[in-house]
Amino acid sequence: MGSGKRTLTMAAIALVCAVTVLGAPGAAYANPGPPAPTPTPPGGSAPAAGGSTPTDKDLEAVRAKLDTLYHDAAVATDAYNAAEEQTKRQSARIVDLAREIVRGQERLDQLKDRAGAAARAQYRGGGLPPEVRLWLSHDPQKFLDNAGTIRQGEHATEGLLAEMTRAQEDLKQYARDAADQWKQLEAHRKAKAEAKKKIEKEIAAAEKLQSKLKKQEQERLRKLEEQAADQAQTAWLDTGILKDISTEASTEGRKAVQFASDQIGKPYVWGAEGPMSYDCSGLTSQAWAAAGTAIPRTSQEQWKQLRHVDIKDMRPGDLIIYFHDASHVAMYVGNGAIIHAPRPGRTVTIAGAGTMPILGVVRPDAK
């Protein structure tokens, strides 16, 4: 094996090893998800335990602040998931290119061996000029036949050299592509790390804020959240929307709904795709994978890439995208209800479809 082959082969192996390390999934933490909508009032700091009893207005300010923190964490989660998907794709591409580099080097070595054999054969058959060899030949016709064969061999050798040149260029291109993919892999790895820091920061701030509340205050806060969700759902239902919405799901939609239903009670962990925990888009993407349809991993890409349908045309299995930045997604299951994974500290659950501001509806299956 030549030094060039050893160098490229070892480089390819190094690429595969490095990708294996960089592609390892990050640690999972409590997953953020957008809670019930509310206008964000000014302030919003919680009173310290042992201070004066907060009013409902104080707790509303706390709830608004929590909404903001968890929403920001949800946005960062989508960024993390997107970077994770890109990292997986780039890792796979680098591995493929490493294999191509090895195969290309092997092909080039074979061509070099063939070219060397052809050159040696021509050297042995050369020496005297053609006219002298013809004069010395006992069988001129045989000489002429051999000369034709030699010319064919020369053409074949020229083709072989051209093929070697192409193989060398292919090898160089594979190396350039691998370098480009490596740069992108590094960029997405950094994006994942930054998103992870953002998620942890927002969740830590939310947990700190909640920790300042006494047990009774936390219970009052929970009831205020439920009241806000109920009010939003009632307002949505009062539009008469359910009169126009179909309850008939497609075959695939029923399978997706069944999968999502089976996950109820499992915790929401950011970056998780099951089977023991999920984030919002992890749940919807895995539900539709179980139904036989691959869909994008993140709520933002689900909104961008899947077919949009009008709310009045939605049916069980369709996905409802929430908030202006598509930072949350849930599965519509019929009768004005959704299944979703809300946010840290919560589990996959059933909720009203109108409890959060709806951006739109997408349909994963083609039917």
Side-chain angles (χ1 to χ4, degrees):
M1 179 184 293
S3 60
K5 179 179 179 181
R6 283 197 300 271
T7 300
L8 282 168
T9 302
M10 291 305 294
I13 294 171
L15 280 172
V16 175
C17 292
V19 165
T20 302
V21 174
L22 287 176
Y29 295 83
N31 173 50
T38 184
T40 304
S45 59
S52 59
T53 302
T55 65
D56 282 356
K57 184 178 180 181
D58 294 330
L59 291 177
E60 280 291 351
V62 172
R63 188 173 71 85
K65 183 63 175 177
L66 288 173
D67 283 359
T68 299
L69 291 170
Y70 283 128
H71 174 267
D72 290 348
V75 173
T77 297
D78 229 33
Y80 178 92
N81 289 336
E84 172 71 6
E85 288 298 292
Q86 288 290 344
T87 297
K88 289 178 182 177
R89 281 193 286 269
Q90 246 106 42
S91 298
R93 179 59 181 149
I94 289 174
V95 171
D96 289 342
L97 286 167
R99 293 193 183 105
E100 291 294 342
I101 288 172
V102 172
R103 283 195 290 264
Q105 185 62 60
E106 291 173 348
R107 174 63 175 159
L108 185 59
D109 290 339
Q110 292 172 358
L111 291 171
K112 286 181 177 178
D113 289 342
R114 287 171 56 192
R120 289 191 294 273
Q122 287 184 3
Y123 177 78
R124 287 194 299 269
L128 296 174
E131 62 271 18
V132 175
R133 283 185 280 132
L134 175 60
W135 182 68
L136 293 175
S137 175
H138 296 293
D139 188 347
Q141 184 59 48
K142 184 177 180 181
F143 172 81
L144 293 174
D145 291 341
N146 288 339
T149 302
I150 291 172
R151 282 194 297 273
Q152 292 177 4
E154 290 173 345
H155 290 312
T157 301
E158 291 174 359
L160 189 59
L161 292 174
E163 190 173 354
M164 282 176 58
T165 300
R166 288 194 298 271
Q168 288 173 326
E169 288 302 317
D170 287 345
L171 207 52
K172 291 178 183 176
Q173 187 60 51
Y174 291 146
R176 287 193 292 267
D177 289 347
D180 290 342
Q181 292 294 327
W182 183 263
K183 289 178 183 177
Q184 293 182 47
L185 179 65
E186 283 289 299
H188 287 113
R189 186 174 66 87
K190 290 178 181 177
K192 278 176 57 181
E194 291 173 1
K196 180 173 181 278
K197 288 173 61 177
K198 174 73 171 176
I199 294 165
E200 292 173 340
K201 176 184 175 183
E202 301 298 334
I203 292 176
E207 290 175 344
K208 182 178 180 180
L209 182 58
Q210 291 179 93
S211 70
K212 295 179 179 179
L213 298 174
K214 296 178 181 179
K215 185 176 180 180
Q216 300 94 318
E217 293 161 357
Q218 291 180 8
E219 181 62 21
R220 284 171 59 199
L221 179 62
R222 184 186 65 79
K223 289 182 177 179
L224 287 173
E225 291 175 349
E226 291 178 352
Q227 288 173 11
D230 289 344
Q231 289 171 4
Q233 176 71 355
T234 299
W236 184 70
L237 293 176
D238 284 347
T239 64
I241 188 68
L242 287 187
K243 291 186 298 183
D244 299 321
I245 295 179
S246 172
T247 58
E248 196 65 37
S250 65
T251 301
E252 293 80 4
R254 283 194 293 273
K255 292 178 181 178
V257 169
Q258 183 60 57
F259 180 93
S261 300
D262 292 342
Q263 313 315 308
I264 290 175
K266 294 182 179 180
Y268 193 156
V269 174
W270 68 264
E273 301 176 80
M276 302 309 296
S277 57
Y278 297 88
D279 63 19
C280 66
S281 56
L283 176 65
T284 54
S285 60
Q286 289 302 306
W288 272 98
T293 299
I295 65 174
R297 169 66 177 86
T298 70
S299 58
Q300 292 179 349
E301 288 304 310
Q302 289 170 7
W303 174 244
K304 288 179 184 177
Q305 297 185 35
L306 299 180
R307 179 162 61 101
H308 290 209
V309 297
D310 195 283
I311 291 180
K312 65 180 179 60
D313 296 323
M314 73 177 176
R315 65 193 186 195
D318 287 348
L319 306 182
I320 303 180
I321 309 296
Y322 292 97
F323 301 99
H324 71 280
D325 50 7
S327 56
H328 191 64
V329 60
M331 178 175 292
Y332 184 66
V333 294
N335 297 319
I338 56 171
I339 292 177
H340 73 144
R343 63 170 176 82
R346 304 293 171 83
T347 61
V348 176
T349 188
I350 297 176
T355 55
M356 296 169 284
I358 296 174
L359 177 62
V361 179
V362 294
R363 179 163 295 162
D365 54 340
K367 297 179 181 177

